[in-house]
C-alpha cells in the first residue's frame, strides 16, 4: 500500500480505510499482512495476502471530450444516409453497464431541423438549410448516464452551412441613366453602379462588363464596375449610347449573371459655329423696290443643341442703312426704297454683311456677304 490508503491495528489486526478511495484511480488492492508474536528472542510470525475490491458508485459525469464539435453541411441539400451530419461521443469513467451507459439528447437548437439518435449519438439533418437565411447553427447536447441518480454532461456542436451558388447578382437600380459632357478627355468618370450577391466567397465576387454598339468608347473596371470614357466623345456624332451593363459572379463551376440597361447621354458643349452654306450671296431685285419688301432669306445651321444652337442674325457694312434683318428668321428686307437714280449708273449694287451668332455662354459666330443688284428698268 504505497499510497497508505489503508491502516491496520497492531493489537487487533483490524484493517481500516485511511483515505477516500477512488475506483477510477485504483479498483483493486493486494495487501500483505504480517502477524508476529511478542517473544523477545526469535519472535515467530506469518504473512497472509489480503485482496480488497473497490465497488464503483456513479460519481463521474459523461464528458464530451471533443466539444465543441464542428460540422459543415451544404445548403439546399440533405446529406445522404438519412441526413447524417456527425457522431458525438461522451465518455463516462464509471464502470459498465449501468454507470457508464450514456444516452444523448438535444437540449438547445433547432429540433425541427436536427435530430440526435439517443443511443448512437448520430446527428442528422431533417430538411435543407438556406445559408443566406442563417449561416451557422449551434446545438447544445446533453449526455445522461444510467446511474442512480443519473448524471449529465453537456457539449456544443457548431454546424456551418456551406454556400451553393444559388443567387444571381442584383443591381441597385433596374436601369441606369447618366450624362457625360462631350469633348472631355479619355478617363472621364461616367458612372459607378452597385451590385450585390447574397452568396459568399467566389460565388459573391462580381465581375462587371459592358455590351453593345460603341462599347469600345468606354472602359469598365471589371472589379469595381466604375465606367470611364475610353476616348473623347462628340455629341454631334453620337448623342446617346445604349449599352448593357452585366455583373457575373466568379463561381468556378456554374457562374450566374444579371444585366441592366445603361443609357449614357452626351451633353452639349458649344463647339460648333453657325454655318452659312456659302460665304457670299448675290440676289437681284427690281428697280424702285419699295421699303419693307423681301430681299433674301439668310439661314445658318448650328449643329449644337439648346441655346448653343439658337442663332440670331444682324447686318453690317457700307449699305446696311438700306436694309433690315429679322434677328430670329434671318429674313432681309428693304428699309428704304431702292432706285437706280439714287446711285450712279455704273454702281447698281448694295453690299451688306450678315452675321449669325449662337447663344452659347461663349458665343460663336460666322459671316456671309450679301450683294443686292438692282435690275435696271427696261
Amino acid at each position: 500500500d504505497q499510497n497508505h490508503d489503508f491502516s491496520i491495528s497492531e493489537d487487533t489486526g483490524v484493517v481500516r480505510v485511511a483515505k477516500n478511495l477512488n475506483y477510477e484511480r485504483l479498483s483493486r488492492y493486494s495487501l500483505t499482512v504480517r502477524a508476529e508474536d511478542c517473544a523477545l528472542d526469535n519472535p515467530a510470525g506469518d504473512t497472509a495476502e489480503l485482496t480488497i475490491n473497490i465497488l464503483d458508485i456513479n460519481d463521474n459525469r459523461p464528458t464530451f471530450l471533443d466539444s465543441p464539435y464542428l460540422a459543415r453541411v451544404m445548403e439546399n441539400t440533405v446529406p445522404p444516409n438519412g441526413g447524417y451530419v456527425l457522431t458525438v461521443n461522451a465518455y463516462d469513467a464509471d464502470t459498465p453497464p449501468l454507470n457508464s451507459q450514456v444516452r444523448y439528447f438535444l437540449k438547445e437548437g433547432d429540433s425541427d431541423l436536427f435530430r440526435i439518435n439517443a443511443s448512437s449519438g448520430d446527428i442528422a439533418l431533417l430538411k435543407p438549410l438556406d445559408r443566406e437565411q442563417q449561416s451557422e447553427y449551434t446545438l447544445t447536447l446533453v449526455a445522461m448516464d444510467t446511474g442512480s441518480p443519473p448524471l449529465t454532461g453537456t457539449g456544443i456542436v457548431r454546424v456551418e452551412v456551406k454556400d451553393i451558388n444559388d443567387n444571381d447578382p442584383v443591381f441597385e437600380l433596374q436601369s441606369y441613366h447618366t450624362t457625360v459632357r462631350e469633348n472631355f478627355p479619355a478617363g472621364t468618370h461616367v458612372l459607378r453602379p452597385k451590385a450585390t450577391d447574397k452568396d459568399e466567397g467566389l460565388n459573391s465576387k462580381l465581375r462587371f462588363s459592358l455590351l453593345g454598339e460603341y462599347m469600345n468608347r468606354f472602359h469598365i473596371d471589371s472589379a469595381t464596375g466604375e465606367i470611364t470614357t475610353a476616348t473623347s466623345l462628340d455629341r454631334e456624332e453620337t448623342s446617346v449610347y445604349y449599352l448593357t451593363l452585366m455583373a457575373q459572379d466568379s463561381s468556378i463551376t456554374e457562374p450566374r449573371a444579371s444585366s441592366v440597361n445603361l443609357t449614357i447621354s452626351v451633353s452639349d458643349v458649344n463647339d460648333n459655329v453657325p454655318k452659312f452654306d456659302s460665304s457670299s450671296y448675290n440676289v437681284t431685285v427690281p428697280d424702285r423696290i419699295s421699303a419693307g419688301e423681301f430681299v433674301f432669306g439668310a439661314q445658318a445651321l448650328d449643329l449644337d443643341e439648346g441655346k448653343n444652337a439658337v442663332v440670331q442674325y444682324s447686318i453690317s457694312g457700307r449699305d446696311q442703312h438700306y436694309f433690315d434683318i429679322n434677328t430670329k428668321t434671318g429674313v432681309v428686307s428693304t428699309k428704304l426704297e431702292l432706285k437706280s437714280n439714287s446711285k450712279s449708273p455704273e454702281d447698281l449694287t448694295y453690299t451688306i454683311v450678315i452675321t449669325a451668332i449662337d447663344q452659347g455662354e461663349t458665343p460663336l459666330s460666322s459671316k456671309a456677304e450679301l450683294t443686292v443688284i438692282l435690275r435696271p428698268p427696261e
Side-chain angles (χ1 to χ4, degrees):
D1 183 16
Q2 296 178 350
N3 293 322
H4 304 289
D5 290 334
F6 298 92
S7 64
I8 188 170
S9 172
E10 294 182 356
D11 297 330
T12 64
V14 174
V15 177
R16 290 184 171 86
V17 176
K19 300 177 181 177
N20 287 333
L21 304 180
N22 188 340
Y23 173 87
E24 287 72 36
R25 180 171 63 84
L26 189 60
S27 61
R28 179 173 178 159
Y29 291 83
S30 295
L31 305 179
T32 301
V33 180
R34 180 177 178 79
E36 293 182 349
D37 60 27
C38 296
L40 295 176
D41 296 325
N42 298 322
D46 196 8
T47 59
E49 294 296 323
L50 173 61
T51 300
I52 302 174
N53 291 317
I54 309 301
L55 298 178
D56 186 34
I57 63 171
N58 191 26
D59 60 345
N60 286 279
R61 298 179 181 276
T63 302
F64 292 95
L65 298 179
D66 296 324
S67 179
Y69 295 86
L70 177 61
R72 296 180 175 90
V73 297
M74 299 300 295
E75 67 170 329
N76 301 343
T77 58
V78 174
N81 302 321
Y84 175 79
V85 177
L86 83 162
T87 299
V88 297
N89 181 57
Y91 170 75
D92 194 313
D94 294 317
T95 54
L98 297 179
N99 292 340
S100 65
Q101 204 170 45
V102 176
R103 295 182 66 79
Y104 302 93
F105 305 93
L106 182 60
K107 180 181 179 183
E108 294 178 3
D110 293 84
S111 57
D112 57 333
L113 297 176
F114 297 94
R115 177 183 61 201
I116 188 167
N117 186 299
S119 301
S120 66
D122 291 348
I123 296 177
L125 177 65
L126 302 179
K127 60 182 69 173
L129 304 177
D130 184 355
R131 189 203 67 83
E132 288 73 41
Q133 181 178 350
Q134 186 169 338
S135 61
E136 184 175 306
Y137 293 83
T138 300
L139 309 178
T140 301
L141 309 178
V142 173
M144 178 184 293
D145 63 28
T146 51
S148 182
L151 298 178
T152 61
T154 59
I156 299 295
V157 176
R158 286 178 47 234
V159 181
E160 291 183 354
V161 185
K162 304 303 291 180
D163 187 49
I164 288 178
N165 193 24
D166 58 347
N167 287 276
D168 292 330
V170 176
F171 282 95
E172 189 176 49
L173 301 177
Q174 293 183 346
S175 63
Y176 289 86
H177 188 288
T178 187
T179 301
V180 62
R181 295 189 70 181
E182 68 171 330
N183 299 344
F184 272 29
T188 298
H189 173 80
V190 177
L191 180 70
R192 185 167 183 170
K194 291 183 180 180
T196 56
D197 193 311
K198 291 182 179 180
D199 296 312
E200 69 174 358
L202 290 177
N203 294 338
S204 66
K205 184 178 180 181
L206 300 182
R207 294 173 296 171
F208 297 89
S209 59
L210 283 176
L211 299 174
E213 190 178 11
Y214 303 121
M215 65 182 184
N216 59 337
R217 296 185 181 181
F218 300 91
H219 173 267
I220 186 168
D221 188 308
S222 61
T224 66
E226 182 179 12
I227 301 171
T228 55
T229 57
T231 185
S232 180
L233 303 179
D234 183 359
R235 190 204 64 83
E236 287 72 41
E237 179 190 355
T238 306
S239 60
V240 182
Y241 294 89
Y242 299 100
L243 303 174
T244 299
L245 176 60
M246 177 174 290
Q248 177 176 295
D249 63 38
S250 303
S251 171
I252 299 175
T253 54
E254 296 181 359
R256 299 173 73 107
S258 61
S259 61
V260 293
N261 292 328
L262 169 62
T263 304
I264 301 175
S265 298
V266 183
S267 64
D268 188 49
V269 171
N270 193 24
D271 58 348
N272 288 276
V273 299
K275 285 187 178 180
F276 293 98
D277 58 7
S278 177
S279 60
S280 62
Y281 300 94
N282 295 321
V283 295
T284 301
V285 297
D287 189 21
R288 298 187 177 277
I289 185 173
S290 303
E293 293 293 326
F294 174 85
V295 175
F296 180 73
Q299 184 178 25
L301 179 64
D302 194 312
L303 296 178
D304 294 314
E305 68 174 359
K307 290 184 176 181
N308 296 337
V310 175
V311 177
Q312 289 190 349
Y313 301 90
S314 62
I315 57 175
S316 60
R318 73 178 190 191
D319 296 322
Q320 62 174 316
H321 56 283
Y322 288 102
F323 302 93
D324 275 330
I325 190 168
N326 187 305
T327 58
K328 293 182 179 181
T329 65
V331 171
V332 178
S333 59
T334 55
K335 188 176 182 181
L336 302 172
E337 181 187 36
L338 304 183
K339 49 188 177 179
S340 57
N341 61 6
S342 65
K343 299 188 68 125
S344 63
E346 296 82 10
D347 189 6
L348 299 178
T349 63
Y350 299 83
T351 302
I352 59 174
V353 175
I354 304 173
T355 300
I357 185 169
D358 62 33
Q359 305 303 300
E361 290 186 9
T362 304
L364 300 177
S365 63
S366 62
K367 299 177 185 295
E369 185 177 79
L370 174 64
T371 301
V372 181
I373 303 171
L374 279 181
R375 186 167 54 242
E378 295 179 1

